């Protein structure tokens, strides 16, 4: 069972870290567009997608933490 938790932990952690980085990149790019004075339709949707991707990354990362706790309890 520990091998199953380790696989899920690694996958969730990798996906979570990737999504957190991608979401921050999108959100910060939208911020740069806004600060340059672009119209709201240029930065608004990009910023919203960035925040959604960032929050999904946090969810995956939290899931990885949960499986890490399962691994520690069994080990």
């Amino acid at each position: 069972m520990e091998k199953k938790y380790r696989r899920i932990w690694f996958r969730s952690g990798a996906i979570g870290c990737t999504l957190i980085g991608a979401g921050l990149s999108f959100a910060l790019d939208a911020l740069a567009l806004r600060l340059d004075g672009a119209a709201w339709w240029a930065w608004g949707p990009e910023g919203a997608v960035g925040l959604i991707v960032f929050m999904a990354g946090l969810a995956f990362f939290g899931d990885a933490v949960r499986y890490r706790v399962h691994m520690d309890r069994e080990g």
Side-chain angles (χ1 to χ4, degrees):
M1 194 65 123
E2 182 180 339
K3 195 167 192 146
K4 174 186 171 188
Y5 288 148
R6 181 173 299 279
R7 188 177 63 245
I8 295 171
W9 164 74
F10 185 77
R11 187 181 321 140
S12 295
I15 292 170
C17 288
T18 302
L19 289 177
I20 288 171
L24 282 176
S25 295
F26 274 107
L28 291 176
D29 187 54
L31 175 65
L33 287 173
R34 183 176 183 194
L35 292 176
D36 282 343
W40 71 269
W41 52 265
W43 56 265
E46 183 180 7
V49 167
L51 291 177
I52 291 168
V53 170
F54 177 76
M55 294 303 289
L58 288 180
F60 273 99
F61 191 78
D63 200 38
V65 170
R66 179 176 61 135
Y67 282 107
R68 181 64 196 190
V69 169
H70 284 306
M71 286 170 41
D72 287 344
R73 285 187 179 169
E74 281 190 3

